[in-house]
Amino acid sequence: MKPRMFRRSLIAGASALATALALLAAPPTATAAPTDYQAEDATISQGVVESNHAGFTGSGFVNYDNLVGSYVEWTIANAPAGPADVTLRFANGTAATRPLDWTVNGVAGAVGITYPGTGAWTTWVTKTVRLQLAAGTNKIRARATTADGGPNADKLTVNPVSDDVTPPSPPSNLVVSNIKSNAATFTWAAASDNVAVTRYEINRGGNVLKVVDANTLSATVDTLTANTAYDISVGAFDAAGNASQQSNVVAFTTPGSGDTQPPTAPTNLRSTGVSVNSVSLAWNASTDNSGSIAGYDVYQGTAKVASTGSLTTTVTGLAANTNYTFTVKARDPDSNASAASNALTVKTAATGTGGIPAYDRDIAKVDLGWSVAFLPDGSALVTERDRFEVVRVQANGTKTTLGKVPGAVTTTGEGGLLGIAISPTFATDNWVYFYHTASGDNRVVRMKYENGVLATTSSPVLTGLTKNRYHNGGRIAFGPDGKLYVSVGDAQNSGNAQNNGSLNGKILRANPDGTAPSDNPFFSTGGNARYVWSRGHRNPQGLAWDSRGQLWASEFGENSQDELNLIQKGGNFGWPACEGTIGDCGGYIAPKRTWSTSQAGPSGIEIVNDWIYIAGVTGSQLWVTQINSAGNGVGTPQAVFSGRWGRLRSVTKSPDGGLWLTSTNNDKNGGTPTVLDNVIVRLKFG
């Protein structure tokens, strides 16, 4: 047969996909055997059965017509009631993503699922969605939503899955032994589960170091670095993908390796930009016999002005029209310092303005100031993550503790009292909103703040956000539309991110009273999906809007790439199949910028005059970049204040035209709530 329309031609030079695309991270427990249903045996509307492309199963495949509304509908008999993983085997020899809407018995089940190009019509791959089936006979329809039609459909595999929602108990009695400069051994007591534990993950700060099976209760991690502090915990998973809470934490510092050989000197120190008060620098990487570089120290003359793990930094607070000389040295894990790089003399600009801020002054000392929101009177409310307190801070540094948010608890990790937002109608309703960890979940609540007094009770706005030691998300903000946006982590269960029935791994959108707006993209689906604005997120923590009203969000990666995303209504950003630009990323929305996870750790973000400011936790620096004139991308980010205040958590524009920046050092294991050793500083613009 001849190919039907232009989409049958092969894409020259496109590579075949090597593995099947999947939306769920861990396969759930089946309650019945998976069953295959051939597409050629289904009900077909505006499509034909063909066999002219090799590799199909059965007697042929369905070629959708190129138009909106063409569909294939399978009849599934004798299904048990409950969730099922529904896997389509397909081929797509074009660059079009060919989205399908899935319905079950006429009810929306999965909306806008994309089926990207596979490189050739003979390359067949799979993609899985989870649908809710009724007991008995079900009609599952896959309907094309664009003029490109659907992909070539070979067969549908229906796999009813367990409705198990009970997570394992936490592993216990974690101990560390045999600590070396590059390795340590961890041993723990088994977790229990109502069905069965299937695997354990060894974590550092929410990043997975090693995965072992359920029968393994001791493992050696040999990818550690000398002279480095670690805090390690273990989590358990069952076959349904339910994640336990974490074990106890073991904290230790690896010894030095005895290495005395310094790294090579950095080379090609150069200027990448100047303003009236700043110089941006870049250099080529050093090498070391240990195989790793611990960081770089930047010197202005003889004074050290920045410490960073990156190959760039921006030095601020300089005088206009003035020469400055810089050098850079590298450090290895044993603190051996390299010789200095080439010396570079740069002259700042005589005039002009830019988006690079300079340090102005210290505002106040706090414990862990996780989020800042300004009141109409110009003072700010600050959330203390592990003290669970709300502190009013004035521009002159005066602090008043207003009280605690009731029910807030720690996770001895990233949970506690997190985000804060002031009602857009505060002048009339006096509501202040908080995101906090509670005994059984993460939640958004609101409290009255009237006449300088914070209420002692809270009202729930949005509850049931799964919590864990890590990946709690936690930022909340009101958008230009008056709706409340909430960034929620996957709670260390990556499968949550693609499941619209879960509130985790998402950016949510709610009315101020906690109801779901009817114009949310999955509102008609009902349940938790009503609140989903975007999905496929691992641990988003920053929300801000640009001059066009577009939402930007920052996101912590796993072990490879952190992300800055331009959020789209109903958009899917790929986690766990895709981390940044790494993995099976076809058909997902790509980030506008990525960083190595060692350089950023992006938490709070702010936008001023279409410049984006990102507080870097892991990289201990503020990243600055400018949105392009089209509004669809950003320039090369510049790192500022590298190492100056340590782990940076939030950045917030102040009513007087500056930025307030907070640090949260010593925050990995529940913090040090008896010590006020972190800062709020004010930054200014030239």
Side-chain angles (χ1 to χ4, degrees):
M1 298 179 66
K2 292 184 178 180
R4 303 176 70 242
M5 308 179 72
F6 75 92
R7 71 185 179 93
R8 287 303 194 192
S9 61
L10 299 180
I11 299 177
S15 62
L17 293 180
T19 57
L21 298 175
L23 288 182
L24 301 176
T29 303
T31 56
T35 304
D36 289 344
Y37 298 86
Q38 293 295 333
E40 64 268 24
D41 298 330
T43 299
I44 303 165
S45 175
Q46 296 173 310
V48 296
V49 176
E50 293 184 350
S51 57
N52 58 321
H53 296 302
F56 58 84
T57 62
S59 59
F61 56 85
V62 172
N63 174 4
Y64 280 75
D65 284 351
N66 289 37
L67 49 83
V68 175
S70 53
Y71 69 80
V72 179
E73 183 176 87
W74 293 265
T75 300
I76 313 300
N78 302 316
D85 282 345
V86 176
T87 302
L88 179 66
R89 188 171 189 263
F90 72 96
N92 178 6
T94 75
T97 56
R98 303 190 182 279
L100 299 175
D101 282 353
W102 291 85
T103 60
V104 180
N105 302 323
V107 177
V111 178
I113 305 301
T114 56
Y115 294 85
T118 60
W121 292 108
T122 54
T123 299
W124 299 88
V125 301
T126 62
K127 195 167 189 176
T128 301
V129 297
R130 182 165 291 184
L131 302 175
Q132 293 290 325
L133 304 186
T137 300
N138 291 263
K139 292 186 179 296
I140 300 178
R141 177 179 295 185
R143 176 184 178 274
T145 62
T146 72
D148 293 313
N152 282 355
D154 178 36
K155 67 176 181 179
L156 194 72
T157 301
V158 179
N159 185 18
V161 299
S162 170
D163 56 2
D164 174 23
V165 295
T166 303
S169 66
S172 58
N173 299 323
L174 176 65
V175 296
V176 59
S177 61
N178 197 27
I179 301 173
K180 300 178 180 179
S181 61
N182 67 340
T185 299
F186 303 95
T187 305
W188 59 92
S192 60
D193 188 66
N194 62 319
V195 179
V197 173
T198 59
R199 74 183 193 274
Y200 295 98
E201 292 185 355
I202 301 173
N203 292 282
R204 180 200 186 194
N207 300 112
V208 178
L209 299 182
K210 194 166 189 175
V211 180
V212 297
D213 63 37
N215 297 317
T216 301
L217 300 177
S218 182
T220 297
V221 177
D222 59 4
T223 55
L224 307 184
T225 302
N227 283 317
T228 302
Y230 287 89
D231 55 291
I232 304 296
S233 61
V234 176
F237 289 79
D238 63 19
N242 298 308
S244 77
Q245 296 298 308
Q246 292 290 292
S247 71
N248 59 295
V249 177
V250 292
F252 61 95
T253 299
T254 51
S257 67
D259 173 31
T260 59
Q261 181 176 332
T264 62
T267 58
N268 192 25
L269 176 61
R270 57 200 182 274
S271 172
T272 57
V274 297
S275 72
V276 291
N277 64 351
S278 69
V279 172
S280 296
L281 302 170
W283 55 90
N284 294 352
S286 300
T287 59
D288 189 69
N289 61 310
S290 69
S292 63
I293 297 294
Y296 296 91
D297 296 322
V298 180
Y299 292 84
Q300 178 185 313
T302 59
K304 185 165 66 174
V305 292
S307 294
T308 179
S310 307
L311 296 175
T312 64
T313 196
T314 296
V315 181
T316 66
L318 306 179
N321 199 32
T322 303
N323 286 319
Y324 292 92
T325 299
F326 302 96
T327 55
V328 179
K329 295 181 181 180
R331 287 176 282 107
D332 68 14
D334 284 278
S335 300
N336 298 305
S338 75
S341 69
N342 57 294
L344 176 71
T345 298
V346 185
K347 190 173 187 178
T348 51
T351 60
T353 60
I356 302 297
Y359 167 75
D360 181 27
R361 64 182 188 273
D362 286 5
I363 296 293
K365 285 285 186 72
V366 292
D367 171 34
L368 298 176
W370 206 92
S371 195
V372 175
F374 282 91
L375 293 165
D377 66 5
S379 66
L381 299 185
V382 180
T383 55
E384 290 268 26
R385 192 192 72 178
D386 295 324
R387 296 164 70 95
F388 318 127
E389 291 179 342
V390 182
V391 180
R392 179 174 177 245
V393 182
Q394 299 183 61
N396 64 4
T398 301
K399 296 188 301 180
T400 306
T401 300
L402 302 178
K404 293 189 176 184
V405 173
V409 302
T410 184
T411 64
T412 63
E414 295 175 346
L417 178 56
L418 304 176
I420 184 173
I422 307 299
S423 167
T425 53
F426 178 83
T428 57
D429 61 33
N430 296 111
W431 284 119
V432 180
Y433 291 73
F434 300 96
Y435 184 120
H436 73 84
T437 307
S439 60
D441 61 0
N442 286 310
R443 54 180 51 199
V444 179
V445 302
R446 61 184 181 180
M447 300 172 68
K448 290 285 188 178
Y449 177 63
E450 299 175 284
N451 301 316
V453 177
L454 183 69
T456 57
T457 60
S458 66
S459 302
V461 174
L462 193 60
T463 62
L465 315 177
T466 302
K467 71 172 186 176
N468 212 307
R469 182 172 185 239
Y470 303 115
H471 304 190
N472 293 292
R475 200 71 58 181
I476 56 176
F478 281 96
D481 55 4
K483 306 300 183 183
L484 181 66
Y485 291 76
V486 184
S487 65
V488 189
D490 67 9
Q492 292 189 264
N493 182 349
S494 59
N496 287 334
Q498 293 294 335
N499 177 9
N500 272 8
S502 169
L503 295 172
N504 290 81
K506 312 289 191 306
I507 293 175
L508 308 177
R509 180 176 180 259
N511 292 316
D513 64 358
T515 58
S518 60
D519 59 341
N520 276 358
F522 308 108
F523 181 83
S524 62
T525 304
N528 287 336
R530 293 173 299 157
Y531 291 93
V532 175
W533 188 252
S534 63
R535 56 184 170 158
H537 300 290
R538 178 182 177 272
N539 191 20
Q541 283 195 11
L543 301 170
W545 285 264
D546 64 20
S547 64
R548 293 174 171 83
Q550 299 179 122
L551 174 59
W552 296 76
S554 58
E555 182 168 340
F556 284 76
E558 176 66 30
N559 291 308
S560 300
Q561 291 185 340
D562 293 327
E563 301 175 10
L564 173 64
N565 289 304
L566 177 55
I567 301 301
Q568 297 180 24
K569 177 181 179 179
N572 191 331
F573 290 82
W575 176 255
C578 180
E579 178 188 354
T581 57
I582 297 173
D584 293 326
C585 298
Y588 299 118
I589 299 172
K592 297 303 180 181
R593 180 62 59 176
T594 63
W595 295 264
S596 162
T597 52
S598 65
Q599 296 181 2
S603 185
I605 71 172
E606 185 60 279
I607 299 177
V608 179
N609 296 329
D610 283 345
W611 285 78
I612 301 180
Y613 304 89
I614 306 170
V617 178
T618 310
S620 297
Q621 51 199 350
L622 182 71
W623 288 95
V624 182
T625 187
Q626 188 175 22
I627 301 171
N628 63 23
S629 59
N632 59 5
V634 296
T636 301
Q638 301 177 61
V640 190
F641 308 118
S642 302
R644 181 163 179 174
W645 296 292
R647 293 164 63 85
L648 303 181
R649 180 65 60 177
S650 72
V651 56
T652 310
K653 56 188 173 185
S654 57
D656 59 7
L659 295 171
W660 281 24
L661 183 68
T662 73
S663 65
T664 54
N665 297 296
N666 302 315
D667 59 353
K668 296 180 181 179
N669 301 309
T672 54
T674 60
V675 181
L676 302 183
D677 57 356
N678 280 291
V679 298
I680 303 173
V681 300
R682 184 185 186 275
L683 308 180
K684 62 183 178 180
F685 296 100

